Amino acid sequence: MPDYALPSAIICLPFVVSVMVLLLRGLGRRQNLSAWLMTSTGLLVLLLSAYLYPAIADGGVVRQVIPWVPGLGLDLVLRIDGFSWLFMLLISGIGALVGVYARYYMSPDDPLARFFALLLAFMGSMLGIVMSGNVIQLVFFWELTSFFSFLLIGYWYNGASARDGARMALIVTSGGGLCLFGGVLLLGHIVGSYDLEAILAAGDVVRAHPWYLPTLILILLGAFTKSAQFPFHFWLPQAMSAPTPASAYLHSATMVKAGVFLLVRFWPVLGGTTEWSWIVGGIGMISLILGAYSAMFEQDLKGVLAYSTISHLGLITMLVGLGSTLGVVAAIFHIVNHATFKASLFMAAGAVDHETDTRDLRKLGGLRRHMPITATLALVAGAAMAGVPLLNGFLSKEMFFAETLAVGQGPLLDALSVVIAVAASAFGVTYSLRFVGGVFFGRVVDDLPRKPHEPPLWMRFPIGFLALLCLLVGMLPARMIGPSLDAAARSVLGGDMPTYSLAVWHGLTTPLLMSIFAFVAGCLMYVRLREYFSSCEAAPLTGRLSGKRIFERVLAVAAADVPQRIERRYPSRRLQSQLLMIVLLALAAGWIAAASAPLGLDLGGSDSDPAFALLWLIGAVCAVGAASQAKFHRLAALILTGGAGLVSCVSFVWLSAPDLAATQLLVEVVTTILILLGMRWLPKRIAGMAVETRWQRFRRRRDVFIAIAVGAGVASLAYAAMTHPVSESISRFFLENAYTGGGGNNVVNVILVDFRGFDTLGEISVLAIVALTVFGLLRRFRPAAESISMPVQQQQQTAYDAAAPDRAADHSLTDYLMIPGLIIQLLSPVILLFGLHLFLRGHDLPGGGFVAGITVSVALILLYMAGGARWVETRLRVLPVRWIGAGLLMAVLTGLGSLAFGHPFMTSHFQYLDLPLLGRIPLATAVLFDLGVFAVVVGATTLMLIALAHQSLRRPREVPAAAAAAEGET
């Protein structure tokens, strides 16, 4: 594989293996296959990343550009420099260790294929963030991490805490992602490009621009929400309901690091200003002290680690916000250090939970006697978190202290920075002692839910490996981390690279004295307040001000209180009034637009044909008649609506558009049948049963007036668009290039599957979503008892059979629709063959995947109508969801296939082949895309058909006895 293709191979590998894990579920012994696939993927990505080190060691950049939509300046750009390379090592290396750990942590009864598939997809998403060379692309992967983390946090969805934690994390982080999207759009507008290279080189332009502050705030909102910084820190402790392997991966080394990655990445562009220093430095300082303070009073093992993560991420944020280049170096160093010791501690907490079945610190103690190896490893990682000398956490903390002493923002701010840094460090020592000492030392607890013992060897291996790294980096920092840190910092700072030292001993310096003071103070607090910590349910002072409660209250107000007030203020249980408001707003918007920019209607004479005008008059009469009959005569209204549709079909034929005419005709057939099936379950309305009031008459006249106004407005807009002079129409391009560029003579089909294939991909995606939504709604629908009764004709036939002595009960129903059913069965293969014919001819003659899909759907609908749902499904296995999935997958893969040959997404290729008997025939890759369209149309239409057809097989909706009694009394 050439080196320039390595970035795309690295980023695609986790996603491909994720799909493989799902497809291969059930194979292998228990959870072995899925776990080893994830571990192997992490190791392979690690090796491929290490192979790229010589290319980025001296400030180089590995860049791969894959054309996507070149006309809009949107390309897939993969960019690897020293900083992103360091993150790739963390993501892949810790991912491989988590795979080994999860193999022994997770129960065989869990859906393990889903768990490892989600972890792999999350790994790919994180790699996408750090490797993105286009900021729009970065936001896409950013939101993917929010989505997959939501699924991982809510993996055990049967628990309320898991569901609530997943929902909270998704709302906060995805909301921040939307802010980030707005920020990068502004950033791209300022720079004139969304390419990361161009943005990083335009720092002076960005900082001098009037939109700098809103751009900065939006981007920082994205970073702070993802890295759980104040005031968005509350979601991280609630996310501890996730399985511990997911917590060790997401909440120590990857997802929560995405925010600080963004801060460091954009430091050359947005940093160096007063606004940056005050916002970033201030938020980091608050998060640092608040997280450390809250961690001391937490009773849950993973809760302690969650709040400590908030604190350490605040430390990194504060370092980036200080504005010095050495602060950036220290921030990168602590990102690596924190990932190693925090992942180790999360896994140690999981081992304790796995062996004792509890994470409550008040129930744990003395486990070193039962788990001596785990206790030793946790002691090393905990000491690194506390900043004990000869461990990696000590070195980056020394650099942090040195930077707080050199803030230079005034005496008061300088002193405040030093005090908060020392206090947070002392708190860190205290909660580290609580974690290690409270679990593994002290009195032995005998009444644990489960008798503890050492976890399996390979479950301890990841904990020990990371603890060993903490020790090696702390003792030999220059050799272990020096070159990687230098490459990462140089890629961010460039020519502003400061001089720094990774020596273990710098003499008796002020930062060392600060460390000693913090360590002693933390130990004293733990000794003196140990019992008090154990008795607290929440942190004093800050415990009552719960971010979780505030979030839930805001969510309740936005999702329940405000809608309920609106409903009380504007009461209506009918959709008509809500639709009226939407139509009036649209009419007002159109009126304002027309007033500001007149349409310029040319009402002069035209060459319209009287026969064509008569045709449209018939269509208008059908439309008006359908509207007037819709309330009490639904069948007549539906027939009239079909008449209006047929007029549109004839109009397309008149205007020489056979493709549109065929599509319109078949869509009319399918929609008419589906609406007929749906009308079966609507409540009955009989005209004349109620006297029309004055208000009802007024409302009817008002609706007529609004309908005329809206119709006239839309007609005027359409007329203005069609009569507007165009100097050069794009239609000429399509006519001239349909055959030479798309390999087809049918211009309409070539436009759909080639020139505008990207639009078609979006349209079939929407069609799939609509079909799934309809199915989901109807799946929960239960028809009322009066709606599910037998039709009147069948009731009369049944009564006749019962009254005749020489006829068996339901004798007539055995012959119900026998002749039409037989005809339909005979015609179905013909209809299917006709659909195949339309598909195969679609690239050169009227037809195509959409029309062919509707034709096949018509055959299925007729079979359901003639034989019933049970008859069809016992003879034909209908799997519409798989049709939809296969169609979307084929369409996307066809588009991606062009990328493998260096062409933009959705680029088609065609050539002629000489085949025996058939002669010289054209073959185009767009036919494969059209096949995907065909499959989606068949699947979506059939899915909606099944949702309607199955209503007749369901029981009527049962009315509760209390409600029935109350209704009887009234």
Side-chain angles (χ1 to χ4, degrees), residues 113-247:
R114 176 163 62 91
F115 178 73
F116 286 107
L118 290 175
L119 278 180
L120 282 163
F122 182 84
M123 179 190 293
S125 304
M126 276 301 303
L127 289 171
I129 289 178
V130 302
M131 294 172 62
S132 289
N134 181 295
V135 290
I136 302 294
Q137 177 185 325
L138 184 149
V139 175
F140 171 75
F141 285 110
W142 186 278
E143 292 294 57
L144 269 188
T145 60
S146 297
F147 173 70
F148 288 120
S149 69
F150 163 76
L151 296 177
L152 284 166
I153 295 169
Y155 174 74
W156 286 321
Y157 53 83
N158 291 325
S161 60
R163 296 194 301 270
D164 293 342
R167 181 191 60 179
M168 184 181 297
L170 179 66
I171 292 174
V172 174
T173 58
S174 61
L178 291 176
C179 294
L180 175 62
F181 184 51
V184 299
L185 288 178
L186 290 178
L187 194 60
H189 178 77
I190 294 171
V191 177
S193 173
Y194 296 109
D195 189 88
L196 187 60
E197 293 276 5
I199 291 174
L200 293 178
D204 294 335
V205 175
V206 174
R207 288 187 289 268
H209 200 276
W211 288 357
Y212 166 74
L213 186 58
T215 303
L216 174 67
I217 292 174
L218 288 172
I219 291 177
L220 291 182
L221 284 172
F224 292 157
T225 52
K226 188 71 85 173
S227 285
Q229 295 297 278
F230 178 85
F232 310 105
H233 61 285
F234 53 85
W235 72 263
L236 186 57
Q238 307 307 315
M240 293 301 105
S241 299
T244 299
S247 298

Side-chain angles (χ1 to χ4, degrees), residues 823-834:
I823 295 173
I824 289 172
Q825 292 178 40
L826 294 175
L827 284 179
S828 294
V830 179
I831 298 175
L832 294 175
L833 186 61
F834 179 63

